[in-house]
Structures are given as C-alpha cells and as structure tokens.
Amino acid sequence: MKERIGEKIGWTAGWIGGFIWVFILSIVFLSHERIVQGLSGIALNVIAIISIVFFAPWRFPLTPYWKLILPPYGMFFLSIVWAIWSYGCIGAAGLRWWDIFWLLPIFLPFLMMPFGNLAKKKWADSITQQSTPKDAAEPRH
C-alpha cells in the first residue's frame, strides 16, 4: 500500500506555504530594527509549523479533518492580528475597528468552505477506500 506521500506533502507544504508571509514580514521587521515585531512573528511562525506538524491527519486518522484544521486556522488568524498590530493597529491606516466587518463577505466563503467540505471526512476514510477494490463494490450480472 502506498504511503500517501503526496497527501502528506500537500498538507505540510500547503499549510507552511500559507505562513511564508509571516516569516518574510518578520525578517523585514528585523531588518528595520523592529525587534519585538520581528521576533514575535518568528515565534508565531514556529508555533504555526509545530501545530501543522502535530495536527497532521495521519497522526490522528480517526479524527475529522475539521477538528484538525482548527489549530492551523487559529494560528493563521492570529498571524493576521499580529500583522495588524505590527503595523500600528487599524488606526494607523485611518480605519476604525468596525471597518473590518466590510471584509467579512470577502473572507466568509473561504472560512466556511473547508468546514463544509471536510465536515465528516477522516484520514482513515481514504485508507478504506483505497483498500477496497472498485469491482468489489459493484455486483456483476
């Protein structure tokens, strides 16, 4: 049986790729001598990578995906808060806190899509599908 290496790489590289901007922004802050913002961004990135690796679906094959993506999603939103804080909060951009609600219609579909599509799916479900021959599922006449 295959090790499902492609899916493992997809989970790990995809999530880590989603946090590359935090690392790059942290390096930019460090180069501008904004040490607190830079080091906190790097720490956030390390914690995100740990959560990605720890909550990998093959480590918990019977847990639904939606539960496993909560920690990386949480780290992603914490990264957004970190970026807003690092740039001087919303007031530095001339916005008020309720102006963020205008962005909700844009982000809401992206937030809900994984939870809807992956609500009950588990890593172990794919294993049972791969081990069952296709012809065995359909009766012959």
Side-chain angles (χ1 to χ4, degrees), residues 43-87:
L44 193 64
N45 210 339
V46 168
I47 294 168
I49 291 171
I50 289 169
S51 76
I52 292 163
V53 172
F54 182 78
F55 291 102
W58 54 91
R59 292 177 47 104
F60 305 96
L62 299 176
T63 304
Y65 280 118
W66 74 267
K67 290 181 181 180
L68 297 173
I69 64 175
L70 284 177
Y73 254 96
M75 293 307 299
F76 184 73
F77 290 113
L78 191 59
S79 297
I80 293 170
V81 170
W82 166 81
I84 291 170
W85 167 77
S86 295
Y87 276 107

Side-chain angles (χ1 to χ4, degrees), residues 1 35-36 46 51 57 67 96 103 121 136:
M1 186 167 73
I35 305 300
V36 174
V46 168
S51 76
K67 290 181 181 180
R96 294 180 202 94
L103 297 175
K121 187 173 165 96

